[in-house]
């Protein structure tokens, strides 16, 4: 086997490394542009993204999307607030 010719495993590892690097870069850009985390919280997120190459950026994007949905008033389950529960049970305006 010629050591100068990359194997299939080398190609897979290179692809995984590229995806992890792009995810981390996108997460860092998102962290810097986001107004939410500041101070220690920002530092913790930077360390999570840095030391957990694939799971860290995914965790940041999930946390950011949940935070945005809560800020917009939708919550995590859409727009099913207390007023909708009565309507679903047949007791409210509908």
């Amino acid at each position: 086997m010629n050591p100068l010719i990359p194997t299939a495993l080398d190609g897979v590892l290179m692809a995984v490394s590229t995806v992890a690097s792009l995810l981390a870069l996108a997460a860092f850009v998102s962290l810097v542009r986001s107004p939410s985390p500041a101070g220690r919280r920002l530092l913790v997120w930077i360390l999570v993204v840095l030391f957990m190459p694939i799971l860290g950026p995914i965790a940041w994007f999930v946390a950011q999307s949940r935070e945005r949905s809560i800020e917009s008033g939708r919550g995590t389950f859409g727009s099913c607030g207390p007023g909708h529960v009565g309507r679903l049970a047949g007791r409210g305006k509908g």
Side-chain angles (χ1 to χ4, degrees):
M1 190 148 75
N2 188 349
L4 299 177
I5 299 174
T7 64
L9 180 62
D10 292 333
V12 169
L13 291 177
M14 189 181 306
V16 169
S17 299
T18 302
V19 168
S21 297
L22 291 174
L23 266 174
L25 181 65
F28 282 128
V29 169
S30 176
L31 270 165
V32 170
R33 289 184 172 195
S34 178
S36 301
R40 281 190 174 170
R41 190 170 172 209
L42 177 64
L43 179 65
V44 167
W45 273 114
I46 288 174
L47 292 175
V48 166
V49 168
L50 184 64
F51 290 114
M52 298 176 69
I54 294 176
L55 294 177
I58 291 173
W60 163 249
F61 289 126
V62 168
Q64 184 183 25
S65 68
R66 284 187 180 177
E67 188 172 311
R68 283 184 184 169
S69 67
I70 290 171
E71 286 175 358
S72 68
R74 291 184 309 167
T76 54
F77 296 108
S79 59
C80 188
H84 293 88
V85 174
R87 278 185 255 168
L88 291 174
R91 291 177 281 166
K93 298 177 184 175

